[in-house]
Amino acid sequence: MKKDSLSITDNRSGKTYEIPIENGSIRAPDLRQIKLDPDDFGIMSYDPAYMNTAACASSITYIDGEKSILRYRGYPIEELAEKSSFLECAYLLLYGELPTKEELEHWTNRIMRHTYIHENLVQIIESFRYDAHPMGILISSVAAMSTFHAEARDVNDPEIREKQIWRILGKLPTIAAFAYRVRIGRPHNYPDISRGYAGNFLYMLDYMNERDYEVPPALSRALDVLFLLHADHEQNCSTATMRSVGSSRVDPYSAVAAAAAALFGPLHGGANEAVLRMLEEIGSVAAVPAYVERVKKGEIRLMGFGHRVYSSYDPRASIIKKVAYDVFEVTGGNPLIDIALELERIALEDDYFISYKLYPNVDFYSGIILQAMRFPTDMFPVLFAIPRAAGWLAQWTEMLNDPAQKISRPRQIYTGYAQRSYVPMEERTSPRTTRT
Ligand code: CMC
């Protein structure tokens, strides 16, 4: 018997099977040999929400949720947040190594040169209603981009793929800024590529023809760090969507639109918006204990707390907490920070949160920063989508280059009726059931 293997005895038949263990995992298809007779389908593994199923091998991002470790291509997130930039990290995620000076210049130049969007796309953005959610505009606009760049459908050509990556990373901030300006009835600012990635984005959002207009460097650096921290997080819901949709070999615009749609949900990229609404609902430091009691009774969830992979402090939350104070120096404080700090203090000492291993996640403080920078709350998921696109595209590229990957197609356990005969209308008596 091999040492790196798992012996499984099927008590229905008494037969024992030896299943190889590789990288601490067994291959689910190896279970299919466990059957009672040749017509039997074989054993499947059942894992709703992929709680313990690896759907890919990846060398991009490493997380140890118990030890609060997050690394991009081996580099600790803390070091990157201090020394690197969003665009440099995007390069690292996509190409596997930190760029040389020339590589970074070329990469930055390519992305910034693709910040302009087609005037037809501008018209599409302008056609949304004044109260359209900016995330809805972003998702639709990225999907629409597939109609502007028909060659993108050739996903097997690495050069064509690279060009779409430049376009997506370049144009997303422009789409987001234009969506914002349309909604507040202000004219668009076309990109100023000399201002850098985050600086140009803030400029497009904010500029109103002021003489000597400058984006405060502390704000563009803070936004760049937020972007860097959100760039990738291995197989989260939206990244898994990107891989799954991309596995059909659809163009990257359609796949990014699908991933962005996944990110829009309140349990994922919508969480910092939910945190802010929660802090506003709590309203004061004095009201925090009563709110925590409601969470403990199971009436509500503490938004910005808990994570599928972290059972300790999310390392991004610690960095973001520091960034918050840098931003407040420019913008003035945010009264919600005191409520957040008190909430965190009480929760971290409370048996309920300790026993469930619920700690602040990345979204707990990011909303407070974004609000202090005067972003409207519904822009928050958009500010998550822009940097996460780097991760989506890196994971998409890795998936396309991985010979082990095929079109994504989970199995199911069928729980419905066995075959039955069609019932004529006049013989149907049963009331409508809730069966789906
Ligand atoms: N407040 C109170 N209780 C919680 C919370 C919370 N935030 N999160 C989990 N629990 C409890 C939950 O009630 C459950 O208890 P029980 O077993 O008694 O029913 C237990 O912990 C396990 O929860 P779960 O929902 O099965 O855990 P999950 O891994 O499926 O959920 C989560 C992860 C992030 C969706 C969840 O913790 C949550 O809803 N948090 C609030 C929303 C949030 O902050 N999301 C942002 C995630 S970070 C950004 C990103 O990656 O998108």
Side-chain angles (χ1 to χ4, degrees), residues 42-292:
I43 294 272
M44 286 193 297
S45 59
Y46 174 59
D47 188 7
Y50 301 114
M51 299 288 285
N52 193 36
T53 294
C56 64
S58 178
S59 58
I60 299 174
T61 291
Y62 174 77
I63 300 175
D64 182 330
E66 285 192 8
K67 296 192 186 130
S68 293
I69 292 173
L70 169 61
R71 297 182 195 133
Y72 294 162
R73 301 280 189 184
Y75 294 102
I77 195 70
E78 294 80 3
E79 240 181 283
L80 293 170
E82 196 190 325
K83 298 175 185 164
S84 184
S85 66
F86 166 67
L87 281 188
E88 187 177 70
C89 281
Y91 183 100
L92 174 68
L93 292 168
L94 271 146
Y95 299 101
E97 296 297 336
L98 286 167
T100 61
K101 189 166 176 286
E102 291 73 30
E103 284 167 341
L104 183 60
E105 268 169 24
H106 178 259
W107 168 245
T108 305
N109 181 280
R110 288 296 83 210
I111 289 173
M112 295 311 291
R113 293 239 163 242
H114 282 90
T115 47
Y116 272 69
I117 56 176
H118 197 289
E119 283 301 306
N120 289 162
L121 186 56
V122 178
Q123 286 169 13
I124 292 175
I125 295 171
E126 284 172 345
S127 67
F128 282 92
R129 281 176 59 85
Y130 70 95
D131 59 352
H133 196 293
M135 195 63 174
I137 302 179
L138 182 107
I139 293 166
S140 314
S141 303
V142 179
M145 274 170 71
S146 74
T147 67
F148 291 82
H149 308 292
E151 81 276 17
R153 286 207 290 276
D154 190 356
V155 296
N156 294 322
D157 183 324
E159 276 183 30
I160 291 181
R161 279 204 309 257
E162 192 172 45
K163 186 148 187 191
Q164 314 320 310
I165 291 170
W166 296 333
R167 282 181 171 142
I168 292 170
L169 296 181
K171 291 175 201 306
L172 274 181
T174 313
I175 293 171
F178 281 30
Y180 169 79
R181 297 281 293 203
V182 163
R183 288 193 335 147
I184 58 171
R186 289 188 180 174
H188 304 303
N189 292 314
Y190 282 81
D192 176 349
I193 64 175
S194 66
R195 293 177 187 269
Y197 196 78
N200 169 55
F201 179 47
L202 288 172
Y203 158 81
M204 288 190 290
L205 291 164
D206 194 37
Y207 178 63
M208 284 295 282
N209 221 15
E210 297 96 333
R211 201 175 278 179
D212 303 326
Y213 177 87
E214 281 305 330
V215 174
L219 294 192
S220 57
R221 175 63 193 156
L223 189 63
D224 200 67
V225 173
L226 282 185
F227 280 178
L228 181 158
L229 295 176
H230 283 87
D232 195 50
H233 209 234
E234 52 118 303
Q235 307 310 314
N236 55 83
C237 178
S238 57
T239 303
T241 302
M242 180 79 192
R243 279 180 172 264
S244 179
V245 174
S247 76
S248 73
R249 301 298 188 266
V250 74
D251 69 85
Y253 302 104
S254 303
V256 166
L263 188 72
F264 195 6
L267 297 187
H268 191 9
N272 54 8
E273 186 175 342
V275 170
L276 216 64
R277 296 197 200 289
M278 174 187 78
L279 295 175
E280 278 162 357
E281 187 195 329
I282 296 173
S284 70
V285 169
V288 168
Y291 196 84
V292 169

Side-chain angles (χ1 to χ4, degrees), residues 362-404:
V362 68
D363 289 320
F364 192 63
Y365 286 105
S366 63
I368 299 173
I369 298 178
L370 297 175
Q371 193 189 52
M373 289 174 81
R374 297 198 184 81
F375 282 106
T377 313
D378 56 10
M379 279 293 282
F380 293 2
V382 169
L383 293 155
F384 192 162
I386 293 171
R388 184 53 60 87
W392 293 333
L393 292 163
Q395 302 266 353
W396 172 72
T397 307
E398 187 178 63
M399 182 269 302
L400 290 173
N401 287 330
D402 181 352

Side-chain angles (χ1 to χ4, degrees), residues 267-269 271 295 301-308 352 356 358 361-363:
L267 297 187
H268 191 9
V295 175
R301 279 196 174 204
L302 198 52
M303 299 313 284
F305 265 67
H307 201 279
R308 176 65 60 79
Y352 174 91
Y356 277 114
L358 294 173
N361 60 47
V362 68
D363 289 320

Side-chain angles (χ1 to χ4, degrees), residues 219 326-333 372-374:
L219 294 192
D326 296 343
V327 169
F328 296 163
E329 290 218 346
V330 180
T331 61
M373 289 174 81
R374 297 198 184 81

